[in-house]
Amino acid sequence: MFPLQHFLILSAILFSVGLLLVVIKRHAIMMLIGIELMLNAANLNLVAFNQLYPNHRDGQMFALFVIIVAVCETAVGLAIILRTYHFYQTSVPDAVAELSDKP
């Protein structure tokens, strides 16, 4: 069994890398990957803190719920990115100047 501190350090590193991807990268898909890394860091924290109470499965259930939400968020995010790319021919969010109702 690994100590709790190892999981928390790994989770902090994952969250920091995800935050850097969201802040620094200009490509929409890389921003989406950064958000996924941050959600995975939160999942790691939930499961790690669940080690303190081995008879309860609350942390694992919350982690499963976060995974389901992350899958839905990824599907909707990719659909929006693909539709934006199809319409504007770019996946850089700063290049999309205005929203239009043209098909």
Side-chain angles (χ1 to χ4, degrees), residues 7-8 10-16 18 34-50 58-67 70:
F7 289 113
L8 296 179
L10 178 62
S11 177
I13 291 170
L14 275 175
F15 191 85
S16 299
I35 293 171
E36 292 298 320
L37 277 175
M38 289 189 288
L39 287 173
N40 285 331
N43 282 341
L44 187 60
N45 273 338
L46 287 170
V47 173
F49 280 116
N50 196 40
D58 296 336
Q60 293 175 358
M61 295 306 291
F62 279 124
L64 183 63
F65 180 72
V66 171
I67 290 171

Side-chain angles (χ1 to χ4, degrees), residues 22-97:
V22 169
V23 171
I24 292 175
K25 293 295 182 179
R26 294 185 50 188
H27 198 275
I29 294 177
M30 292 303 291
M31 293 171 127
L32 195 59
I33 289 173
I35 293 171
E36 292 298 320
L37 277 175
M38 289 189 288
L39 287 173
N40 285 331
N43 282 341
L44 187 60
N45 273 338
L46 287 170
V47 173
F49 280 116
N50 196 40
Q51 280 185 349
L52 298 176
Y53 304 102
N55 294 334
H56 301 289
R57 298 289 178 230
D58 296 336
Q60 293 175 358
M61 295 306 291
F62 279 124
L64 183 63
F65 180 72
V66 171
I67 290 171
I68 292 169
V69 170
V71 168
C72 296
E73 175 257 333
T74 302
V76 171
L78 281 175
I80 291 170
I81 291 170
L82 289 174
R83 187 66 182 158
T84 304
Y85 182 79
H86 177 72
F87 190 75
Y88 291 104
Q89 300 299 314
T90 184
S91 63
V92 179
D94 293 336
V96 178

